[in-house]
Amino acid sequence: MTEVDIRENLSRNIKTLRTIQKISQAELAEKADISIPFLSQIECGNKFPSPAILARLADSLNSSVSDLFADKEIIKNEDQKFVINAMKSILEGQLKSFEDFCKAYL
């Protein structure tokens, strides 16, 4: 793996994790205590953060530093978790509606 691959993985994974969690760049930058332009440069692959900043970014994304450098398969797992949780919420809402219907009409 080359330095370019590492930067690409990092930038892609930070942006993907941030997007999955519906966090704006401004929100993530504030949580990680970095500037928005610096976060943008990291997500574009133009800047490489220090270990301390990597740790803060990972923590802010409820992730690990190793996940920030992972291959695409790890992010696909995050996508699957997101979809599963979304489906659970939808099904719970439908179940609640069905229960309310039953209470009202049965």
Side-chain angles (χ1 to χ4, degrees):
M1 184 176 282
T2 67
E3 181 181 341
V4 171
D5 294 332
I6 292 169
R7 283 180 187 261
E8 286 175 359
N9 284 349
L10 178 65
S11 63
R12 180 192 61 243
N13 292 343
I14 289 173
K15 185 174 183 178
T16 301
L17 288 167
R18 180 178 60 75
T19 303
I20 288 170
Q21 296 177 35
K22 297 180 181 172
I23 300 171
S24 69
Q25 278 189 337
E27 291 169 318
L28 179 56
E30 183 177 336
K31 284 183 178 184
D33 194 28
I34 60 174
S35 71
I36 298 167
F38 186 52
L39 176 58
S40 179
Q41 290 291 309
I42 294 168
E43 286 189 358
C44 290
N46 298 329
K47 297 283 184 181
F48 195 82
S50 69
I53 292 173
L54 282 170
R56 292 197 313 256
L57 284 167
D59 186 53
S60 298
L61 291 166
N62 301 312
S63 190
S64 67
V65 172
S66 62
D67 284 344
L68 299 183
F69 291 100
D71 291 334
K72 292 180 182 179
E73 288 76 28
I74 297 295
I75 298 305
K76 287 181 183 174
N77 287 338
E78 290 296 323
D79 288 342
Q80 289 172 358
K81 289 177 192 175
F82 174 77
V83 170
I84 289 168
N85 288 333
M87 288 302 298
K88 283 180 182 177
S89 294
I90 291 168
L91 293 173
E92 288 170 1
Q94 289 177 335
L95 181 59
K96 173 87 170 94
S97 294
F98 181 69
E99 288 173 351
D100 292 345
F101 172 82
C102 289
K103 286 177 185 175
Y105 295 102
L106 299 179

